[in-house]
Amino acid sequence: MPEIKQKVMPLDPVWSRVCDEAVAAIGVEPLLGGLVHSSLLHHPTMERAMAYRFSLKLASGEMSEQILREIADEAYQADPELGQSARADLMAVYDRDPACHRYLQPILFFKGYQAVQAYRIGHWLWTCGRIDLAYFVQMRVSEVFGVDIHPAARLGKGIMIDHAHSIVIGETAVVGDNVSMLHSVTLGGTGKEDGDRHPKIGDGVLIGAGAKVLGNIHIGHCSRIAAGSVVLQDVPPCTTVAGVPAKVVGEAGCPQPAVMMDQVIRGCD
């Protein structure tokens, strides 16, 4: 007789930890049982849970939860990078945000994380040529989370947007891996010009609250942009810039600014 092999689910330590935390959370606060079950424990994979959260948060009278769920499920099934990025972003928030103590917090409560995952589905739609649907996702993310990321923009993995209020990222912006930014950051253009007109952010960059990075300029790897700065020129790697307009005020201060989240400028007049 032919040998019958059981199908074994792939090991997913991130999702396993989320589910363990979910069970513990219900034990502490039973009133959250419905939310935690429907959002996390009801789903066999992190991708299925993320698709559910996407549809639940972005549904409106214009687009039903069911249709959005089908779109998200299709995206996660077609592009495994979406799930990998969701895990990398989750770890980034857990590692860098001192207010994050459990893996489940960003999935359930942090709008920065949720907005980035919704953008990723919108970007997938954009790359598939489903332009108007991608714009719809952008609109709803802006309305629901206060985060406006053009679906054509390209964001790497390990992105952490803390607080995530009034974030704007333009159409031709590129953001590298392991980048951290705080609220009210703008990666924008400088006028009405068309074409490639938005910033290119290197890996490991830390962008402080309220910083504006404008134009088709390059921000070098592992650099820091101080809070409230207006950056109009290229920034060398591993440096700190501050001011209006921003100028180099020293070295980055550490090998990985986006991970250390150290925003104190030392040794500057």
Side-chain angles (χ1 to χ4, degrees):
M1 295 179 63
E3 183 181 357
I4 300 176
K5 295 183 179 180
Q6 288 186 324
K7 185 177 181 181
V8 179
M9 293 292 293
L11 183 65
D12 187 349
V14 173
W15 182 238
S16 295
R17 177 160 171 175
V18 170
C19 291
D20 289 344
E21 292 178 352
V23 172
I26 295 174
V28 174
E29 183 51 85
L31 291 178
L32 285 175
L35 166 65
V36 174
H37 272 287
S38 62
S39 295
L40 303 174
L41 296 176
H42 179 70
H43 307 283
T45 66
M46 184 167 173
E47 285 80 0
R48 295 289 294 274
M50 297 303 301
Y52 172 80
R53 294 295 292 171
F54 170 84
S55 64
L56 183 71
K57 301 299 287 188
L58 299 192
S60 70
E62 297 175 314
M63 187 77 69
S64 72
E65 184 179 332
Q66 180 179 349
I67 293 175
L68 289 171
R69 177 76 176 274
E70 292 173 357
I71 292 168
D73 281 335
E74 179 187 0
Y76 282 113
Q77 185 173 5
D79 187 358
E81 283 281 325
L82 293 174
Q84 295 170 15
S85 296
R87 289 167 175 80
D89 296 341
L90 182 63
M91 295 304 301
V93 177
Y94 179 80
D95 288 341
R96 303 173 206 168
D97 185 352
C100 183
H101 306 291
R102 292 170 295 165
Y103 284 20
L104 64 75
Q105 286 177 271
I107 300 175
L108 293 181
F109 308 127
F110 290 6
K111 70 175 185 176
Y113 178 79
Q114 295 175 23
V116 170
Q117 305 322 305
Y119 145 79
R120 294 194 186 282
I121 293 175
H123 181 70
W124 177 81
L125 290 167
W126 184 274
T127 59
C128 292
R130 301 166 72 176
I131 303 302
D132 288 330
L133 197 51
Y135 275 131
F136 177 84
V137 171
Q138 177 193 6
M139 176 190 73
R140 289 296 293 148
V141 171
S142 179
E143 292 173 346
V144 173
F145 300 118
V147 175
D148 196 344
I149 307 176
H150 194 286
R154 290 181 286 153
L155 274 60
K157 297 179 181 178
I159 303 297
M160 196 275 283
I161 304 181
D162 194 16
H163 298 292
H165 184 71
S166 299
I167 296 290
V168 176
I169 300 179
E171 178 182 12
T172 60
V174 178
V175 178
D177 295 332
N178 298 316
V179 170
S180 296
M181 65 182 77
L182 283 86
H183 53 282
S184 299
V185 164
T186 296
L187 307 181
T190 58
K192 295 178 65 177
E193 72 275 13
D194 200 356
D196 196 355
R197 61 194 184 278
H198 295 106
K200 312 298 180 283
I201 310 297
D203 298 338
V205 173
L206 171 61
I207 308 177
K212 315 302 177 187
V213 187
L214 305 177
N216 185 16
I217 59 176
H218 290 75
I219 309 302
H221 298 313
C222 297
S223 58
R224 293 192 304 175
I225 299 174
S229 298
V230 177
V231 185
L232 302 174
Q233 296 180 341
D234 291 351
V235 173
C238 303
T239 59
T240 296
V241 297
V244 182
K247 298 179 180 179
V248 174
V249 296
E251 297 180 350
C254 60
Q256 301 184 70
V259 175
M260 299 304 296
M261 296 295 292
D262 183 359
Q263 301 175 69
V264 178
I265 301 175
R266 299 174 178 84
C268 300
D269 295 330

